[in-house]
Amino acid sequence: MASIFENQIDKAMGVCVKQFGDACVYIPAEGEKEYDIYAIFEEAETIIYYSGEVPVETRAPVLGVRLSDFEKLGVRKPKQNDRFKIKGKLYIVVQKPQDGWSESRLVLFCKGAA
């Protein structure tokens, strides 16, 4: 059962997705079934990787998803190698998602036209 804090964070994320979100299609790696969701898409966000002692900064597409949307659809949360269709292009999740309280930020790689 979610705490009051988690419920409030989820509601806030819902407002953000409604205001700033894009229509997306979620395709789990192990299936061909597709699920329509809304998520916040950033085409080129700065990502910092820590490999050894030197941090490496790069730009990559990132998708902010509301985790409760997947629960409502009856599917598991996104993971590495899952796919998303966004704005006519196909993207793949390239690293293990970082879970937040109500959202997860997915680093993507563009595979080309959907």
Side-chain angles (χ1 to χ4, degrees):
M1 183 171 167
S3 71
I4 293 171
F5 176 75
E6 290 170 320
N7 287 333
Q8 293 301 319
I9 295 294
D10 186 63
K11 285 180 185 178
M13 182 61 183
V15 171
C16 292
V17 168
K18 186 175 183 178
Q19 182 68 32
F20 304 108
D22 294 295
C24 305
V25 177
Y26 169 57
I27 309 163
E30 65 277 345
E32 291 302 316
K33 190 164 183 183
E34 298 182 352
Y35 303 90
D36 294 326
I37 67 162
Y38 277 84
I40 300 171
F41 180 64
E42 293 291 333
E43 201 159 350
E45 186 170 305
T46 300
I47 306 294
I48 299 174
Y49 293 100
Y50 295 93
S51 176
E53 295 181 20
V54 179
V56 177
E57 183 177 306
T58 189
R59 303 210 27 102
V62 173
L63 190 66
V65 296
R66 184 178 178 197
L67 296 175
S68 66
D69 289 344
F70 297 91
E71 184 179 314
K72 290 173 188 169
L73 289 170
V75 297
R76 64 160 174 72
K77 297 175 188 175
K79 64 180 186 177
Q80 191 171 359
N81 296 320
D82 286 349
R83 296 162 287 161
F84 286 87
K85 291 180 187 175
I86 310 164
K87 297 182 179 184
K89 295 181 181 177
L90 182 65
Y91 293 86
I92 187 167
V93 179
V94 294
Q95 70 182 43
K96 182 180 176 189
Q98 300 295 314
D99 286 342
W101 285 100
S102 172
E103 64 132 5
S104 186
R105 313 244 333 126
L106 310 173
V107 179
L108 307 173
F109 175 78
C110 184
K111 301 283 282 183

